[in-house]
């Protein structure tokens, strides 16, 4: 079963025995929970679109390992066209869900691990590449959604992993056995883990010789014994419990993050991809982060497309769509959004093969891409709020609109142009509210800032890759300086 249908995917997640906690309670049926279900629907879209012939080229690929047709989210990229198609696929998913569809972290982890395990084996004669390939084939053939877990809680940021007063602030090996290892620690902000079949764990920073136990990478099922997931709150999350589809703004789709605890989890030998080779921790971090920074040049652009469309509708429903100031704001939003897309495509087109044969994006351009993502969506949101007007935060609830006493007043006084119903005007404002202040703002705003690394992380990479020395030489040559 190389390609699962959306329905098969939902049922496969239902069968997992996940330990999920929210509001101090264990969630027995996360698949049916009104706060969590929209996030599952977003991942489901990665399966549904792969079944649709019109999206076949973007959503599916030919496995470079088995030659089988697989979902592109399971694919190891083997050309710059693969890298470009990945970004285009993510834009499409952003357009269809207006939220984070979560499945990219696994795809980005596969591609980082494919090349890093190969290079680790070359130096240490280890067996990580074969381990990883076996896992990659199982992922492709089972069409798994895989979480890529990188961010440790990190405790005191001034201290290395081994120097933390609490040794568990970075995930580490606590026991070595003949058949595998036992690990303990946590990973924070885990996008989509509750909707994933497996989790790949990676180190979060480059490490030194004293951090051997922390330089560890592996994959385990998300319902492995000892894994606990504690759901993160999102702004306006409990609105989903009120029963009003309209007030939620985007009732069908959403994203989800959780704090994931690994409390003495056993990892069998053939699921280990790094175990103590500290100098390769940095390579893995850099490559995973690079791929995920490329990803943001697709997914955030797709969500931006929906937000720009919503702002244009709000203007139309207010009767101001022809005002030159409004037109200019929409132009600015498109310009910013397409600049992000241009960065996503550019770092893909400039990709190069690694020694393992898979393709790595241009790291400088991928970091420039993500650095722009830490800024432009904020400006796009600002312009959307500007166009929408204050009603997006002062509009009464759906219940008031439907109330026999005050409903007619709401309907009468909150109407814009006569040809559009008040209900539709309010619907589009709720959607803008959802993306700028509500649950989807996690994915569109704060995740744009901190997801795939906070702005300073990209600036460090830009400093490393920017090659100022070569630029000085250029200036010297032109100015005739010896
Ligand atoms: Fe994918 Fe974007 Fe969500 Fe990352 S933030 S998992 S790239 S949709
Ligand atoms: Fe992310």
């Amino acid at each position: 079963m190389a390609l699962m249908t959306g329905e098969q995917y939902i049922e496969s997640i239902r069968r997992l025995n996940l330990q999920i906690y929210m509001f101090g309670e264990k969630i027995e049926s996360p698949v049916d929970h009104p706060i969590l279900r929209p996030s599952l629907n977003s991942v489901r879209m990665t399966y549904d679109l792969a079944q649709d012939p019109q999206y076949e080229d973007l959503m599916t690929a030919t496995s470079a390992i088995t030659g089988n047709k697989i979902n592109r989210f399971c694919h190891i990229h083997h050309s710059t066209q693969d890298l470009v198609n990945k970004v285009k696929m993510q834009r499409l998913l952003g357009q269809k869900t207006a939220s984070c569809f979560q499945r990219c972290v696994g795809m980005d982890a596969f591609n980082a691990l494919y090349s890093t395990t190969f290079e680790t084996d070359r130096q240490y004669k280890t067996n990580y590449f074969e381990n990883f390939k076996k896992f990659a084939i199982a992922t492709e053939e089972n069409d798994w959604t895989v979480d890529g877990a990188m961010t440790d809680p990190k405790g005191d940021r001034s201290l290395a992993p081994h120097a933390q007063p609490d040794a568990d602030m970075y995930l580490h090996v606590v026991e070595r056995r003949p058949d595998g290892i036992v690990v303990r620690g946590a990973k924070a902000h885990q996008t989509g883990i509750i909707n994933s079949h497996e989790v790949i764990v990676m180190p979060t920073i480059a490490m030194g010789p004293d951090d051997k136990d922390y330089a560890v990478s592996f994959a385990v099922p998300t319902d492995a014994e000892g894994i606990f997931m504690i759901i993160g709150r999102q702004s306006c999350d409990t609105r989903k419990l009120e029963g009003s589809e309209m007030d939620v703004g985007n009732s069908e789709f959403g994203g989800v993050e959780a704090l994931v605890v690994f409390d003495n989890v056993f990892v069998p030998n053939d699921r280990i991809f790094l175990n103590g080779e500290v100098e390769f921790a940095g390579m893995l971090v850099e490559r995973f982060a690079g791929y995920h920074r490329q990803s943001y040049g697709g997914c955030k652009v797709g969500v931006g497309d929906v937000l720009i469309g919503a702002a244009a509708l709000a203007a139309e429903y207010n009767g101001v769509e022809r005002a030159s100031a409004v037109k200019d704001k929409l132009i600015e939003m498109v310009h910013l959004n397409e600049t992000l897309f241009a960065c996503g495509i550019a770092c893909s087109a400039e990709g190069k093969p690694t020694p393992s044969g898979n393709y790595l994006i241009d790291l400088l351009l991928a970091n420039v891409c993500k650095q722009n993502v830490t800024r432009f969506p904020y400006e796009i949101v600002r312009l959307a709020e500007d166009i929408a007007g204050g009603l997006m935060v002062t509009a009464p609830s759906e219940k008031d609109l439907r109330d026999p006493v005050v409903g007619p007043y709401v309907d009468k006084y909150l109407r814009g142009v006569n040809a559009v119903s008040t209900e539709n005007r309010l619907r589009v404002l709720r959607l803008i509210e959802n993306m700028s202040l509500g649950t989807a703002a996690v994915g569109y705003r704060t995740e744009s800032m901190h997801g795939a690394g906070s702005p300073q992380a990209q600036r460090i990479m830009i400093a490393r890759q920017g090659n100022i020395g070569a630029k000085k030489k250029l200036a010297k040559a032109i100015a005739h300086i010896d």
Side-chain angles (χ1 to χ4, degrees):
M1 183 179 45
L3 287 178
M4 263 200 271
T5 65
E7 204 45 50
Q8 286 167 335
Y9 162 68
I10 300 282
E11 291 316 305
S12 69
I13 294 294
R14 194 189 290 284
R15 284 195 296 273
L16 298 175
N17 180 27
L18 302 175
Q19 307 298 310
I20 301 175
Y21 288 78
M22 184 168 60
F23 299 127
E25 280 172 16
K26 173 137 193 283
I27 306 298
E28 294 301 343
S29 183
V31 165
D32 304 308
H33 195 286
I35 289 185
L36 303 178
R37 179 61 188 236
S39 72
L40 187 67
N41 292 342
S42 294
V43 185
R44 179 195 171 138
M45 196 53 102
T46 70
Y47 291 88
D48 284 340
L49 292 183
Q51 301 279 333
D52 188 334
Q54 67 172 311
Y55 300 123
E56 193 182 357
D57 284 353
L58 279 191
M59 294 301 307
T60 64
T62 303
S63 165
I65 311 176
T66 65
N68 293 341
K69 182 178 169 183
I70 56 168
N71 192 299
R72 189 176 293 283
F73 278 96
C74 301
H75 190 46
I76 306 289
H77 317 301
H78 269 78
S79 64
T80 53
Q81 191 60 49
D82 272 347
L83 294 170
V84 167
N85 285 347
K86 172 198 161 185
V87 172
K88 289 185 177 175
M89 168 180 76
Q90 289 167 312
R91 183 171 190 170
L92 174 70
L93 261 307
Q95 291 169 342
K96 298 287 188 189
T97 61
S99 62
C100 167
F101 38 89
Q102 307 144 55
R103 202 176 171 186
C104 331
V105 274
M107 168 177 53
D108 292 339
F110 305 149
N111 279 278
L113 273 166
Y114 191 82
S115 57
T116 305
T117 52
F118 183 87
E119 287 171 53
T120 313
D121 283 2
R122 256 194 346 193
Q123 183 161 329
Y124 283 100
K125 310 281 173 260
T126 38
N127 201 40
Y128 300 141
F129 186 64
E130 284 310 313
N131 285 353
F132 179 70
K133 248 174 53 185
K134 206 171 118 200
F135 175 74
I137 291 169
T139 301
E140 290 179 0
E141 291 303 306
N142 292 299
D143 206 2
W144 282 332
T145 288
V146 178
D147 178 54
M150 178 161 276
T151 311
D152 291 276
K154 298 200 285 276
D156 182 341
R157 271 62 170 170
S158 71
L159 300 174
H162 72 274
Q164 296 283 333
D166 181 341
D168 299 338
M169 295 317 274
Y170 287 78
L171 189 138
H172 61 126
V173 179
V174 290
E175 191 189 335
R176 292 176 201 279
R177 297 177 5 188
D179 54 345
I181 54 175
V182 177
V183 298
R184 189 164 63 230
K187 292 287 179 180
H189 334 297
Q190 282 316 296
T191 294
I193 181 129
I194 67 164
N195 302 321
S196 301
H197 305 93
E198 297 272 333
V199 52
I200 288 176
V201 167
M202 296 163 283
T204 200
I205 50 168
M207 291 179 178
D210 295 332
D211 296 321
K212 255 183 176 315
D213 288 342
Y214 295 84
V216 61
S217 179
F218 57 86
V220 284
T222 43
D223 60 356
E225 205 184 328
I227 296 183
F228 296 90
M229 307 171 189
I230 309 158
I231 300 290
R233 291 213 67 170
Q234 298 180 335
S235 171
C236 309
D237 49 8
T238 48
R239 259 199 217 183
K240 291 177 182 158
L241 301 176
E242 293 170 5
S244 166
E245 165 258 328
M246 186 178 149
D247 284 355
V248 170
N250 180 355
S251 58
E252 209 177 328
F253 303 107
V256 70
E257 274 79 26
L259 172 66
V260 185
V261 177
F262 293 77
D263 189 18
N264 297 322
V265 173
F266 174 70
V267 184
N269 282 329
D270 66 348
R271 285 294 196 94
I272 299 174
F273 312 135
L274 184 78
N275 187 11
E277 298 78 10
V278 281
E279 64 271 46
F280 286 95
M283 178 187 285
L284 186 53
V285 172
E286 195 173 284
R287 290 183 180 179
F288 171 75
Y291 282 120
H292 210 53
R293 289 168 194 173
Q294 169 209 24
S295 287
Y296 278 38
C299 75
K300 303 300 179 223
V301 180
V303 179
D305 286 327
V306 179
L307 184 56
I308 295 167
L313 279 178
E316 183 188 324
Y317 295 175
N318 279 344
V320 296
E321 64 178 327
R322 282 193 200 84
S324 60
V326 169
K327 277 194 204 156
D328 194 56
K329 283 167 193 165
L330 290 170
I331 290 167
E332 179 66 8
M333 292 165 88
V334 171
H335 163 72
L336 292 169
N337 205 41
E338 297 300 333
T339 303
L340 298 179
F341 187 56
C343 291
I345 295 296
C347 69
S348 307
E350 286 290 298
K352 296 274 181 311
T354 66
S356 68
N358 80 338
Y359 269 62
L360 182 65
I361 46 348
D362 181 282
L363 284 174
L364 175 59
L365 294 180
N367 278 276
V368 169
C369 177
K370 174 66 213 316
Q371 181 81 175
N372 284 336
V373 173
T374 66
R375 298 171 181 172
F376 296 178
Y378 284 82
E379 181 62 9
I380 294 171
V381 160
R382 192 184 73 80
L383 291 165
E385 290 189 18
D386 179 355
I387 293 171
L391 189 59
M392 68 171 254
V393 290
T394 63
S397 69
E398 181 182 5
K399 276 190 185 145
D400 294 310
L401 178 67
R402 313 267 182 233
D403 183 76
V405 178
V406 297
Y409 297 134
V410 175
D411 191 47
K412 174 183 164 79
Y413 289 111
L414 297 187
R415 185 171 290 249
V417 294
N418 210 38
V420 175
S421 68
T422 301
E423 175 175 334
N424 282 350
R425 184 174 180 229
L426 293 179
R427 278 182 181 276
V428 87
L429 293 178
R430 287 293 179 216
L431 173 58
I432 296 173
E433 182 197 32
N434 172 257
M435 284 191 272
S436 55
L437 303 166
T439 51
V442 176
Y444 193 61
R445 287 178 53 139
T446 316
E447 191 177 51
S448 287
M449 179 68 77
H450 294 294
S454 306
Q456 194 55 29
Q458 290 112 55
R459 298 186 81 78
I460 291 167
M461 282 299 290
I462 291 169
R464 220 184 281 163
Q465 305 266 335
N467 206 350
I468 300 287
K471 294 180 187 358
K472 277 192 200 165
K473 276 192 197 144
L474 295 175
K476 275 187 179 169
I478 298 287
H480 302 291
I481 299 171
D482 285 337

